[in-house]
Structures are given as structure tokens and as C-alpha cells.
Amino acid sequence: MRRIPERRLHAGRGRAASGRARARPIRAQRGFTLNELIITMVLLAIVAALGAQFVKPAVDSYVDTLRRAELTDFADLLARRMERELRSALPNSIRLSATANGFALEFVPTRGGGLYRALPTAAAGGDVLRFDVADSAFSVLGPVPIHAAGDYLVIANLGENSGSDFYGAGNLNRTALTSSNTATTAYSTDSAPFSIAFTSFRFPVPSPASRFHVATAPVSYVCDTSARTLARHSGYGVAATQPVPPAGATRTDLLAANLSTCTMRYSPGVTSRVGLVSMEMKIADARGESVNLVMQAHVTNEP
């Protein structure tokens, strides 16, 4: 028997295997049909709609909470600003009037105050403030308040029809300062007194505690439920009768819009010398979300 070379046998096997590989059929590629794609999209839409029913309330609640928080922060900031300014008001200077559409609250802001010399010292005498005749200067005791020429010097403001009134319903107790001080650390002593000068004036009555106040022009908070606004008016003149609204104001600041309700009250507190200002307002935003603002500020009426 003739033996076939091994290398030829291997070559034959390779050609046979190669032939079988070429004869294998190629399968066709398949994709999604249009119907399958439409059904998939419909199912996804149904799932998304069902999921939105659970997600939407949570999102709406978050948005509402965020809007309420913004309104609350705004109302808190507004209340703090008004309370801080009212606490620095000149004693017995608050006036409140009801208007056709709300309320108007007027007061006199103060820049500072101090003690005037009522009695002379044994050594130097000192510049005593006199009440029996017109005077134009006095020595300050202790810290000197910041003041500017043109500010009002007020002593013993007792309120309307009292005989010592800033607004002038009775005897006036204010005059214009002619001196000034910008140093926050100024301090008056017997050896180095600081003298406050003012337009010659005779004050009607002394202060029980020898106090004086440096005041500016009046300010009014006016809430108008018809215009739905709360505004601050300043830069107008002093009037014996409260101007409602203030005429001739050189500056009007809009503090709040979308004001639906507004109530203001003032109790002067005659016995305790501490008055109470109360405000209740309802403030809304453009989308109708609203918060109720309740503010109370104690004011000192001790002259």
C-alpha cells in the first residue's frame, strides 16, 4: 500500500474545511417594525403619565413652599425695618389717621440725643440751658450725638395740645441746630465741654431727666388697600395737623405691593410712658400666594 505524504493530507483537509465555510448561508439582519415602535412609544407614554400623577403633587408642594418662604422672608424684613425705625421715633410724635382706603402713620425720626447741663458746676460754671429766657447754646453732659446744622433740637416733647409739641399744635419745642458733630466718639466733660448751638429759642418746659433729642423731618407710612400698596413718605414739612397723604414729599419708597388688607393701631400708654404700635397686613405675590404680617413695636414716650 502506498503511503500518502502527511503534508498533502493536511492540505486536503484545509481545502475541504474552506469549502464547507463558503457554503454556510448568511442570515439576514432584522430591526423594529413601525408597529412595534408605535406600541413601544404608547407604552412609554402611559408609564410617564402614570408616573406624573405621583410626581406632580410633590413638585407643586415644593414650589408652593418656596413661594411662601420668599413671602415670609420679605414680610419679616419689612416688619424689622418698620419696627427699628418706629423705636427710634421722637417720644409722643406718633400720629395715626384712618383714610378712605387704609391708614396713615406719621412719626418723627431721631438721629440721637443726650443730656443738657441744667445746673452749673462749682469750678467752671458750664453753659447751662436756660428756660426763663431765649437761649442759643448749652453744654452737653457725656456722649455727644451725631448731628448736622439744620436738624431739629427738641426738648420735652409732650404731644399734641400739651403746651410743648413738636408739630406746633401748642407751644413749639423745637428749633434748628447751627452746630454739627460727625465724630462717633465725641465726649463732653467739665474740663473739655462740647457746646451745642442752635437758633435762639425759648423752650416752653424742661425735660424731667434733662434730655434733648436731635430729630429730622417727619415720616409717614401709608397703606392703601385700593392701590394695594404700602409706601413710606419723607422729605415734607411739619404740619400742625397730620397731612394725609403727606403733601410735598420729596421721596416716596414703595415698601410692598399686592396688599389686600391693612390695619394699624396705636396705644400711647399714658401711664407707663411706653406706647404700642400694631400693624396687621396681608401681602400676596403675583400668583396669588399670600402671607399675613403681624407686627408690634414698643415706642418710648418718656420725654
Side-chain angles (χ1 to χ4, degrees), residues 66-279:
L66 184 62
R67 288 164 52 195
R68 293 191 193 100
E70 291 176 350
L71 273 177
T72 302
D73 290 343
F74 172 76
D76 181 68
L77 180 62
L78 177 61
R80 289 177 182 272
R81 173 183 176 179
M82 296 174 66
E83 182 179 1
R84 181 173 61 252
E85 194 167 30
L86 286 170
R87 284 183 174 178
S88 66
L90 180 70
N92 300 301
S93 68
I94 294 179
R95 301 194 292 189
L96 178 65
S97 296
T99 65
N101 301 311
F103 291 87
L105 181 72
E106 185 181 36
F107 63 97
V108 178
T110 59
R111 299 187 63 179
L115 300 176
Y116 61 82
R117 180 170 292 283
L119 298 172
T121 62
D127 192 354
V128 177
L129 176 61
R130 301 185 60 179
F131 291 87
D132 56 338
V133 295
D135 204 347
S136 59
F138 61 81
S139 295
V140 178
L141 298 179
V144 181
I146 294 177
H147 60 279
D151 290 342
Y152 293 112
L153 174 65
V154 186
I155 294 178
N157 189 57
L158 302 178
E160 294 180 290
N161 304 318
S162 64
S164 181
D165 180 32
F166 177 89
Y167 295 111
N171 292 327
L172 290 177
N173 63 349
R174 58 179 167 86
T175 186
L177 288 169
T178 56
S179 63
S180 62
N181 172 49
T182 59
T184 59
T185 58
Y187 198 89
S188 179
T189 63
D190 290 341
S191 58
F194 186 98
S195 181
I196 284 185
F198 50 91
T199 303
S200 181
F201 186 76
R202 180 181 177 181
F203 290 96
V205 294
S207 166
S210 300
R211 293 193 185 98
F212 69 89
H213 292 89
V214 178
T216 59
V219 169
S220 288
Y221 287 124
V222 179
C223 61
D224 188 339
T225 54
S226 177
R228 299 172 61 85
T229 58
L230 173 65
R232 181 185 184 275
H233 303 271
S234 60
Y236 59 92
V238 183
T241 303
Q242 181 182 359
V244 181
T250 59
R251 179 170 179 175
T252 299
D253 298 318
L254 181 62
L255 302 181
N258 296 323
L259 190 72
S260 56
T261 61
C262 176
T263 303
M264 294 184 178
R265 300 182 183 89
Y266 174 58
S267 175
V270 177
T271 56
S272 64
R273 290 295 185 180
V274 178
L276 179 65
V277 177
S278 302
M279 296 184 184

